[in-house]
Every structure is written in C-alpha cells, then in structure tokens.
Amino acid sequence: MTLKKTLRHRLLTIMAATVLPWGAMLAPAAAQPLTDADRTLLDMRQAFAKNNPAQLRAALPQVLGHPLEPLAAYWELKARLETASTDEIRSFLNRYAGTYHEDRLRNDWLLLLGKAANWPLFLEELPRYRMNDDREVQCYALLAQRDRLGASAAQQVRALWLAQKKADDGCAAAAQYWLQTRALPAETAWHRARWAMEFNQPAAAIQAVGMLDPAWVSLVNTIHTNPERYLDEKV
C-alpha cells in the first residue's frame, strides 16, 4: 500500500472517530494502527464534548503537524471563544486560511460579534465568510446595516426568522427591530408563535409573543404546559 493510501485510511479512521458519532465503528477498517497523535485527537474530541478547555489547551501541542491539526485547533479555540482576544482569533484564521475550520470558526465568531452588537468588527469580517449558510448570521448582517437598508430588509428578516427551527438571538433581534418600526406586521410574530406551538418549540413561541406584549408570555407558557387547564378556565 502506498504512503498516500495509508494516510487516507488513517485519516478516515480519525475523522470517523472524531467527527461522526457512529464513526468509531469504522476503526477496524484502518490499514495502520493509530499513532499517539491520533489517540490525542480522540481524547480531544472527548474533552471538547465535555467543554474542558484546560485539557484541550494541554493536548494541542501534541497534534501539531497532524493532518487534522486544524480540527484540533478549532476545538481548542472554540471552547474558549467568548474570552479569546481578537488577535488570537485572527491568528487562527490566518494560520488555517482556506480550511473548513477557518470558516467554521469565523461563523462562530460572527455570532458572538452580532450578539455583542459589535457591528464595526462584524461588518469587517462578514465579507470573508465563505459558507454564508447560517440564517442567524444573515439576520445579524441585516441588523448591522439597518440604517442603510431601512424597511427594504423587512421581508428578508421575515423569511429568515420564520425558517429558524428554534429560538435564537440574531433573527429574533432583527425581527424585533423591524416589528418596532412597523415595517414587519405583528401578524408575522403570531405566525411564528403558531408554528412554534405546533412543533413543540415553546421557547420560540414565548419569544415571538413577548415581542408584541411581555404580559402575554405567562399566558403562552400556561397554554403550552397545561392546555386542559387553560381551556377549562375558559368554559
């Protein structure tokens, strides 16, 4: 077996065990035994799942040079992204430029920047976001440019918000802004709430109704948790 084929088999094993939840079942198919760095990657996967930044930081030097180093470095930085400096994040993005995990981290960072309403840095980084498939990031992008877009963005916000399966911050914040400007009708929030109740997403329903009137939140919660009681009280 050529070196290239051997490496492919070994990478398949590691990627299966680190990325896919059922991937460990593929491990016997590997042509070569796992190296120490391979085992460290498996340990890092567990540490990431358990949100153990200290273990990830200690293990990262042991996988430098490994073909899956970008994945390991992503785990390490993602676990402490909320406290990482801009310089650290930029360093990661530059070091792993062009990889999937570079843009994966950028996606995560844009979500944090949007939540913090750090619009200058958000808009600076947004053009570099290649995947551009995260609805919440798209909502933050509209919110960041609300002064320029005005009412013209309302229908984009509506489509993105109604497509979200669960309650989030980005699309909810954008929806709330355009609801307040009346560019988005109150009916949109009721549409969102009805869908959420139908698909057992009470947090999304409460979030939507709360935008219209916070006093209604307890009523929505009662309807979800004890609909029989609510109906009995109305008889």
Side-chain angles (χ1 to χ4, degrees):
M1 181 177 288
T2 66
L3 178 60
K4 183 179 291 188
K5 288 183 178 180
T6 298
L7 181 59
R8 284 174 179 168
H9 276 278
R10 189 159 64 86
L11 288 180
L12 175 62
T13 301
I14 299 303
M15 290 184 72
T18 56
V19 178
L20 303 176
W22 42 264
M25 296 171 59
L26 299 179
Q32 297 292 327
L34 300 182
T35 66
D36 290 342
D38 295 338
R39 293 189 181 88
T40 298
L41 274 166
L42 297 178
D43 291 340
M44 290 184 73
R45 177 181 181 270
Q46 294 299 320
F48 182 70
K50 295 177 180 178
N51 192 28
N52 189 332
Q55 184 179 347
L56 290 166
R57 185 164 52 252
L60 184 59
Q62 301 173 48
V63 299
L64 297 181
H66 191 282
L68 293 182
E69 177 190 330
L71 172 60
Y74 169 80
W75 284 334
E76 193 278 327
L77 186 51
K78 167 65 174 175
R80 57 183 181 86
L81 190 57
E82 292 187 5
T83 59
S85 68
T86 299
D87 287 344
E88 286 181 284
I89 296 170
R90 291 277 192 222
S91 178
F92 175 96
L93 297 176
N94 291 332
R95 181 182 178 95
Y96 301 108
T99 66
Y100 166 79
H101 292 97
E102 172 222 357
D103 213 40
R104 177 72 264 167
L105 190 85
R106 178 176 289 110
N107 191 158
D108 299 331
W109 191 30
L110 286 169
L111 289 174
L112 286 179
L113 292 173
K115 189 172 184 178
N118 187 339
W119 303 128
L121 191 51
F122 179 94
L123 290 173
E124 179 183 340
E125 194 61 34
L126 184 64
R128 304 185 183 101
Y129 178 41
R130 298 189 303 277
M131 290 186 289
N132 198 30
D133 59 354
D134 189 315
R135 292 190 187 99
E136 191 172 8
V137 171
Q138 292 170 24
C139 284
Y140 277 134
L142 294 170
L143 195 58
Q145 303 171 81
R146 59 189 178 275
D147 292 340
R148 178 175 64 83
L149 297 173
S152 66
Q155 290 307 307
Q156 289 177 266
V157 171
R158 180 184 187 278
L160 291 166
W161 191 37
L162 295 182
Q164 289 291 68
K165 301 302 182 186
K166 297 183 179 180
D168 72 347
D169 179 77
C171 289
Q176 185 165 32
Y177 173 79
W178 270 276
L179 282 167
Q180 290 173 343
T181 66
R182 300 187 183 280
L184 203 60
E187 179 187 356
T188 303
W190 286 117
H191 187 165
R192 170 76 169 162
R194 288 194 298 271
W195 174 91
M197 291 294 275
E198 182 177 352
F199 288 92
N200 195 30
Q201 295 292 333
I206 289 170
Q207 184 185 60
V209 171
M211 293 181 190
L212 301 177
D213 190 335
W216 295 341
V217 167
S218 60
L219 178 60
V220 175
N221 192 49
T222 298
I223 292 173
H224 175 263
T225 57
N226 200 335
E228 295 87 354
R229 177 183 174 184
Y230 174 77
L231 291 174
D232 288 344
E233 291 175 350
K234 295 300 176 182
V235 175

